[in-house]
Amino acid sequence: MTRLRPGILKDPVHLLSTGFGLGLAPVAPGTFGTLLGVALDPVLRLMSFTGRACVVAALFLVGVWICEVSARRLGVHDHPGIVWDEVVGYLVVMLAAPPGWQWALAGFLIFRFFDIVKPWPIRDVDHALGGGLGIMLDDLLAAGYGVLVVLAWRLFVA
């Protein structure tokens, strides 16, 4: 897989798709990209739940276009440096979590687990759908699993 050059960040689409360069990390770019979501979540928590949900939905929709254009320009479907989908996926999980660093850490670990392992049907969707929708949708499904774990934890444990 080709590594992305830092000069690529002069393109606004690549700047966003790489999570402001976090996707350029030489190892675990998706994990580093998720850290942008970790930084954004406390800011979004200044809004009502409905406001946060609307912003996250907008970030998903914009992400379909951003990831589509970035992948096309790079010539690689879902290049590891494209991490906008990880940012949005983490934020989806955090919609189900209460505030607090423990929940931020749990959301991070749970989302990364499902994004890396890709249980059914995530792996199938990842291979079946191309373009920006495919890039974004597999992380949305991973986030869906994460939401279920967070809600179950809140209901049965916390």
Side-chain angles (χ1 to χ4, degrees):
M1 190 62 56
T2 58
R3 295 299 314 158
L4 300 179
R5 296 179 321 276
I8 202 163
L9 299 179
K10 293 178 182 174
D11 180 331
V13 170
H14 292 314
L15 180 68
L16 292 172
S17 73
T18 63
F20 298 96
L22 291 169
L24 300 179
V27 295
T31 299
F32 277 93
T34 305
L35 293 175
L36 178 57
V38 173
L40 289 174
D41 184 58
V43 176
L44 293 178
R45 286 186 182 273
L46 299 173
M47 306 170 73
S48 68
F49 176 81
T50 303
R52 283 191 313 143
C54 288
V55 168
V56 172
L59 292 174
F60 178 86
L61 293 173
V62 169
V64 171
W65 180 82
I66 288 170
C67 293
E68 169 74 31
V69 172
S70 187
R72 188 173 350 108
R73 289 180 185 172
L74 293 171
V76 179
H77 170 70
D78 206 359
H79 189 285
I82 297 174
V83 295
W84 185 271
D85 50 332
E86 276 82 11
V87 174
V88 174
Y90 172 79
L91 292 173
V92 168
V93 172
M94 295 312 292
L95 288 171
W101 70 267
Q102 299 93 335
W103 285 103
L105 177 61
F108 178 83
L109 294 174
I110 292 165
F111 171 70
R112 290 306 300 145
F113 173 79
F114 286 117
D115 190 34
I116 292 167
V117 173
K118 296 191 185 314
W120 183 88
I122 299 170
R123 187 168 306 281
D124 293 341
V125 168
D126 188 39
H127 291 119
L129 289 177
L133 182 61
I135 293 170
M136 293 297 296
L137 197 54
D138 79 305
D139 286 80
L140 183 64
L141 291 172
Y145 278 110
V147 165
L148 292 175
V149 169
V150 168
L151 292 176
W153 186 272
R154 290 180 68 183
L155 184 64
F156 298 113
V157 179

